[in-house]
């Protein structure tokens, strides 16, 4: 399963890209709003794209099809490989249908049920983003929705790539991998948690201490 980082923070993206664990970045208006307001959004997105050199999803704000298509046209002028992120509403699916006709990559976002995922696939979405954390937040079972979506995809041989989104902790990532999601888009903090283990840290410390002691004893001979 591929990992993307769910962030618009350049420092987080740079640090994660450097260690080679991510192949893409997903942004949304909320993530962009958390960044320094003096930053120009277009320049920030272009910088993110230059940093990752892979998938970057950029979300539209409009809720009418024409507005979404106009925004997509503008974003594609920033860099032509952009994936246009579009909300799971009927006007959004009409925009996806048109962009798919033009061979433009789309990511349908705010999907909370397998039925919505199926509709987005049929409209021609390149990616479908299933939000699990927000389902858990309201007492539903987010992982169950990802599992059911993956099962339908396997049975039907559907084409859209499934992105598990709204990830809250490392167990979400593992459950999505087991379910067969193609990609998980993961916040920086959760990527850090995934990589850390106290036994690894203790082991590194012990190896260094043992090496230093060995060198001291050799020097002392
Ligand atoms: O990629 C979707 C993600 O940004 C939503 O996450 O944490 O706002 O539910 P969250």
């Amino acid at each position: 399963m591929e990992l993307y980082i769910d962030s618009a923070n350049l420092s987080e993206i740079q640090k994660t890209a450097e260690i080679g664990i991510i192949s893409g970045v997903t942004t949304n208006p909320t993530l962009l709003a958390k960044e320094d307001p003096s930053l120009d959004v277009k320049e920030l997105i272009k910088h993110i794209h230059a940093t990752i050199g892979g998938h970057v999803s950029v979300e539209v704000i409009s809720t009418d099809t024409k507005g979404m298509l106009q925004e997509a046209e503008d974003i594609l002028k920033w860099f032509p490989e952009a994936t246009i992120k579009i909300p799971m509403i009927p006007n959004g699916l009409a925009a996806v249908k048109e962009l798919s006709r033009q061979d433009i990559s789309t990511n349908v976002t705010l999907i909370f049920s397998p039925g919505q995922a199926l509709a987005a696939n049929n409209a021609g979405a390149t990616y479908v983003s299933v939000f699990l954390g927000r389902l858990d937040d309201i007492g539903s079972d987010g992982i169950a929705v990802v599992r059911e979506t993956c099962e339908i995809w396997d049975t039907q041989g559907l084409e859209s790539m499934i992105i598990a989104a709204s990830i809250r902790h490392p167990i979400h990532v593992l459950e999505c991998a087991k379910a067969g999601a193609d990609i998980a888009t993961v916040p920086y903090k959760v990527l850090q948690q995934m990589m850390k283990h106290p036994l690894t840290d203790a082991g590194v410390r012990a190896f260094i201490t043992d090496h230093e002691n060995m060198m001291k004893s050799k020097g002392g001979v």
Side-chain angles (χ1 to χ4, degrees):
M1 183 177 72
E2 278 183 77
L3 295 173
Y4 291 173
I5 184 167
D6 196 28
S7 173
N9 183 279
L10 205 48
S11 155
E12 291 181 353
I13 294 166
Q14 270 161 349
K15 282 187 211 152
T16 320
E18 260 168 29
I19 56 171
I21 61 170
I22 53 162
S23 49
V25 178
T26 52
T27 64
N28 66 35
T30 304
L31 292 170
L32 285 163
K34 286 184 190 161
E35 297 308 307
D36 180 349
S38 71
L39 293 173
D40 178 70
V41 169
K42 172 179 155 186
E43 291 309 315
L44 175 59
I45 297 276
K46 281 168 68 176
H47 213 136
I48 289 173
H49 175 243
T51 302
I52 190 67
H55 174 108
V56 182
S57 280
V58 187
E59 190 157 343
V60 298
I61 309 295
S62 305
T63 51
D64 63 298
T65 307
K66 199 171 158 217
M68 290 180 189
L69 291 173
Q70 182 56 60
E71 281 187 65
E73 202 178 312
D74 293 342
I75 294 165
L76 291 161
K77 281 183 200 143
W78 305 350
F79 60 103
E81 310 85 9
T83 290
I84 310 299
K85 204 170 175 190
I86 294 187
M88 176 56 224
I89 55 176
N91 284 346
L93 294 191
V96 167
K97 181 184 166 200
E98 173 55 24
L99 292 170
S100 155
R101 196 186 62 76
Q102 297 176 36
D103 263 340
I104 292 164
S105 175
T106 55
N107 174 358
V108 176
T109 187
L110 292 166
I111 289 179
F112 295 95
S113 73
Q116 287 182 313
L118 182 60
N121 172 82
N122 289 6
T126 319
Y127 302 90
V128 293
S129 284
V130 181
F131 276 40
L132 56 150
R134 291 192 194 184
L135 282 165
D136 289 0
D137 292 347
I138 60 158
S140 293
D141 187 348
I143 289 291
V145 172
V146 173
R147 274 197 208 110
E148 200 181 347
T149 305
C150 291
E151 198 182 316
I152 293 167
W153 253 238
D154 283 349
T155 307
Q156 298 284 335
L158 301 183
E159 282 185 12
S160 306
M161 305 272 277
I162 299 174
I163 302 183
S166 185
I167 298 276
R168 298 274 189 266
H169 48 71
I171 294 169
H172 270 164
V173 180
L174 302 186
E175 290 298 329
C176 290
K178 285 196 270 181
D182 296 290
I183 299 145
T185 188
V186 184
Y188 181 70
K189 183 179 146 214
V190 179
L191 289 169
Q192 297 287 104
Q193 290 171 332
M194 268 176 63
M195 288 187 289
K196 203 162 173 58
H197 196 287
L199 291 177
T200 304
D201 295 343
V204 169
R205 278 196 304 273
F207 285 151
I208 291 169
T209 305
D210 291 344
H211 174 77
E212 284 170 354
N213 290 340
M214 177 187 76
M215 295 311 280
K216 266 187 224 153
S217 73
K218 281 183 192 298
V221 175

